[in-house]
Amino acid sequence: MEEDGRRRHAREQGSAVAWVESPLQMLCAVEAHHAGLLGEHTSIVPRAKLPALAATRRELKRLALPPGATLAQPEKEMRRPGRHATWVVGDAFSGKVQLSWLTAFPRRVVIVDDGLATIRLLELLGGAPWKPLLRARVRAGVPRATLGLAAGLRLRTAARAGRLSIFTALPVSDELAAAVRRTGAELVLHDFAWLRGQPLGEPRPGERTIVLGTSLVRNGLIHRESYFDWLAGLGADGPVAYFPHRREDPGDLDRVRRQPGINVYDGGAPAEITLRGLSSDQRVLSLPSTAVTSLRVLLTPRGVPVDAVEVPDDWWTADAGPSLRSHLQMFAHDQTGVPR
């Protein structure tokens, strides 16, 4: 059986279990099922005690889930699917996920979007074969580096056997896509087809300018005062709706609430779900983030501009190296339309 036929056969058999730890992972697991990548039945299991996941689950249950997809009750620990099931994960750099790959590797693995980490994963897979799967900017000790190396070898073995798929809506260069596919991995690029087919509902919120919060301040990558000076300037020009990033520092968020002209909305569900009903007289502003790409796919065809603000050089801290800056800034450029 040819490779494509082998993959189609694998998709049609058995079931899938998706372990999700972020709102974007949960949404993309639904999209992967809708795209026919996971088989007939998919159980999407959220990690317990994460408010953002609970909010996303509530929003998704209000929509028409694809046939065969179910939102399971949250669980504290990752559920291990059987050998004949497809395993869907987002965080390929999780120590628990990597350890499970070494002890009970499933029949197929599908990796869905987990923000910028997905691009790093693609670069590691398409690069030198002996690089461990470790997060960017992480100084790992010998045990953790050894686990990352073993997990990388296991994942590359699955790719050569036609048992690894990566499902992403992020911009992937032709060169990087070719490098990943040479490993045998299947790279599937999507444009949120399921979500685009759902009813829009009423536009929310009512402010003309919507700003997406960022984790760059909390992560120490940009200077706090530079960010708040920028927000103050926006608030002075008229009412602004602010949707927090799920990782924003609570103290910073309290400071945002005190900014004149800025109304903070409850976060939780992905911006792709919350903001898809915006009208053409509104606009979205954001520092570089993966949400910029997906919102452009969803909103630009409807005449809603999604503008990413390139980070000025003097905003960056010493912790933001050239490679990280380059990765982030690529989301500032206009890349819309159906992915390749």
Side-chain angles (χ1 to χ4, degrees):
M1 184 184 295
E2 294 183 357
E3 184 176 353
D4 287 347
R6 212 171 57 233
R7 284 185 169 129
R8 282 196 299 271
H9 178 74
R11 294 174 188 175
E12 292 167 0
Q13 305 301 312
S15 59
V17 176
W19 169 253
V20 295
E21 299 179 272
S22 77
L24 181 61
Q25 291 178 28
M26 183 180 284
L27 173 59
C28 289
V30 175
E31 291 285 355
H33 178 87
H34 173 78
L37 200 62
L38 307 183
E40 189 174 358
H41 300 287
T42 301
S43 176
I44 301 171
V45 185
R47 181 178 171 181
K49 296 185 178 180
L50 294 179
L53 279 181
T56 303
R57 187 173 181 270
R58 286 194 301 270
E59 291 296 322
L60 289 174
K61 287 176 73 70
R62 294 190 179 106
L63 303 175
L65 288 174
T70 58
L71 296 173
Q73 291 295 321
E75 296 186 9
K76 292 181 180 179
E77 297 293 333
M78 180 173 51
R79 182 192 301 179
R80 293 191 184 187
R83 280 189 168 273
H84 300 292
T86 294
W87 192 358
V88 186
V89 296
D91 187 359
F93 299 109
S94 162
K96 288 185 177 181
V97 169
Q98 292 182 357
L99 185 60
S100 295
W101 283 344
L102 299 182
T103 57
F105 202 86
R107 181 172 57 95
R108 289 181 63 236
V109 169
V110 177
I111 298 174
V112 297
D113 276 333
D114 189 37
L116 191 61
T118 304
I119 298 296
R120 175 167 175 80
L121 174 67
L122 293 176
E123 291 176 341
L124 290 172
L125 283 176
W130 295 101
K131 285 190 175 181
L133 297 186
L134 295 172
R135 303 184 197 278
R137 301 186 299 122
V138 166
R139 297 178 181 177
V142 173
R144 186 65 188 85
T146 302
L147 175 60
L149 177 60
L153 292 173
R154 178 60 65 92
L155 210 58
R156 292 179 181 97
T157 298
R160 289 194 298 271
R163 296 189 291 115
L164 173 64
S165 301
I166 298 105
F167 184 75
T168 180
L170 300 179
V172 181
S173 69
D174 292 339
E175 181 180 1
L176 179 56
V180 171
R181 287 171 175 143
R182 281 196 295 270
T183 69
E186 180 184 35
L187 179 61
V188 180
L189 303 169
H190 74 98
D191 61 351
F192 293 95
W194 171 77
L195 187 58
R196 287 190 292 106
Q198 298 302 304
L200 290 176
E202 293 298 321
R204 178 180 180 267
E207 291 85 351
R208 180 183 178 276
T209 297
I210 294 89
V211 173
L212 302 183
T214 182
S215 63
L216 296 179
V217 174
R218 183 170 191 171
N219 291 341
L221 301 175
I222 63 173
H223 294 292
R224 179 172 277 101
E225 294 308 315
S226 298
Y227 182 65
F228 279 100
D229 287 346
W230 175 67
L231 287 180
L234 292 176
D237 291 337
V240 171
Y242 189 90
F243 282 80
H245 190 281
R246 65 188 179 90
R247 291 178 181 164
E248 278 191 75
D249 183 271
D252 286 342
L253 200 51
D254 286 340
R255 183 172 172 181
V256 175
R257 290 190 178 95
R258 295 194 298 269
Q259 294 270 24
I262 297 182
N263 303 314
V264 177
Y265 285 73
D266 290 336
E272 292 84 356
I273 296 176
T274 305
L275 301 179
R276 62 196 174 87
L278 295 180
S279 57
S280 59
D281 62 344
Q282 296 176 291
R283 65 169 181 162
V284 178
L285 289 179
S286 175
L287 296 189
S289 72
T290 54
V292 169
T293 296
S294 50
L295 285 176
R296 281 176 177 159
V297 170
L298 293 164
L299 296 177
T300 300
R302 301 180 48 240
V304 181
V306 179
D307 299 322
V309 179
E310 291 206 32
V311 178
D313 288 340
D314 60 355
W315 284 27
W316 296 112
T317 69
D319 290 336
S323 176
L324 177 66
R325 296 184 192 188
S326 176
H327 274 87
L328 286 168
Q329 296 289 45
M330 76 179 180
F331 294 106
H333 302 297
D334 191 7
Q335 302 187 46
T336 56
V338 178
R340 299 176 305 280

